Amino acid sequence: MKRLPARGAYDSDTVFKILDEAFLCHVGFVVGGQPFVIPTGYARVDEILYIHGSAASRMLRTLSEGVHVCVTVTLIDGLVLARSAFHHSMNYRSVVILGRATLVEQREEKLAALRAFTEHVVSGRWNDVRQPTEPEIKATTVLALPLAEVSAKIRTGPPKDDEEDYSLPIWAGVVPLKLVPEGPIPDPRLEHKIDAPGYAQNYRR
Ligand SMILES: Cc1cc2nc3c(=O)[nH]c(=O)nc-3n(C[C@H](O)[C@H](O)[C@H](O)COP(=O)(O)OP(=O)(O)OC[C@H]3O[C@@H](n4cnc5c(N)ncnc54)[C@H](O)[C@@H]3O)c2cc1C
């Protein structure tokens, strides 16, 4: 972030917009000198990022002990093809969060976080599904990471070539990339004639 300060952003609007569009993060932490970087889902509620998973998960057991963590979130918007190999790049929006995660023990906060996970990935789903039972809530660990030490970095626009390279007969530009949903596939074990709900038929972020 120090090398390209023009692309850095620290305001919460920019950070929240990226966190609300993505749903996959990579959680980095060290266990006994060995760094791990584990992909996992997340949800944001106000200024807290929640991650969750099986209470048996080593990642969650380790993090609930309060170790330092680095969480990254990345959205890819395009491939930037410059005239020189050196200036090839990607258009992206990303966030890096540093801090310590804490275990969420209060039942109401835990349930709100579980709701947020579901709603963050598929808005409207929570009210359609069987709600979690007490054993299911107990079997799930939820961790909270305050969005205190956070930065965003964004690259947009065409390639930035060296001035003398602009006259070269080489195509340059951007290949935009998007996450595009396809039509929903019903579970072969669907026992009732139910049409896929709107949020599955017209999924969008
Ligand atoms: C898109 C996506 C979303 C996910 N969402 C969640 C979530 O919301 N909650 C959740 O708990 N888990 C989620 N996972 C699974 C998560 O990545 C871990 O596998 C899981 O949490 C178990 O972690 P662990 O530390 O207990 O792994 P362990 O069972 O202790 O893993 C042992 C070793 O296996 C390797 N390993 C672990 N996970 C992976 C992996 N994903 N890919 C390759 N190697 C691996 C590592 O070397 C690890 O040290 C998600 C994975 C993906 C790809």
Side-chain angles (χ1 to χ4, degrees), residues 13-26 39-45 48-51 71-77 92-97 116-123 147 152-153 178-179 203-205:
D13 274 3
T14 306
V15 168
F16 290 175
K17 258 182 105 172
I18 297 169
L19 293 179
D20 293 350
E21 184 171 333
F23 50 75
L24 176 68
C25 66
H26 286 81
T40 195
Y42 71 86
R44 178 184 77 84
V45 178
I48 294 180
L49 190 98
Y50 289 102
I51 60 173
V71 173
T72 65
V73 171
T74 311
L75 292 165
I76 292 289
D77 295 322
Y92 60 83
R93 289 164 289 152
S94 60
V95 166
V96 172
I97 308 160
F117 289 125
T118 308
E119 286 293 304
H120 178 56
V121 180
V122 187
S123 175
L147 294 169
K153 199 168 153 179
K178 258 188 194 169
L179 189 65
Y203 184 79
R204 57 173 55 218
R205 296 208 66 71

Side-chain angles (χ1 to χ4, degrees), residues 44 56 58 61 76 91 93 122 129 168 191:
R44 178 184 77 84
R58 185 175 53 181
R61 268 190 289 125
I76 292 289
N91 282 337
R93 289 164 289 152
V122 187
V129 296
L168 293 173
E191 290 185 9

Side-chain angles (χ1 to χ4, degrees), residues 102 130 139 142 161:
T102 55
R130 175 181 68 69
V142 174
D161 269 307

Side-chain angles (χ1 to χ4, degrees), residues 29-32 57-68 100-103 141 143:
F29 54 96
V30 175
V31 184
S57 154
R58 185 175 53 181
M59 170 177 74
L60 289 150
R61 268 190 289 125
T62 305
L63 298 185
S64 60
E65 289 161 11
V67 300
H68 290 284
R100 275 174 195 243
T102 55
L103 193 62
T141 294
L143 298 177

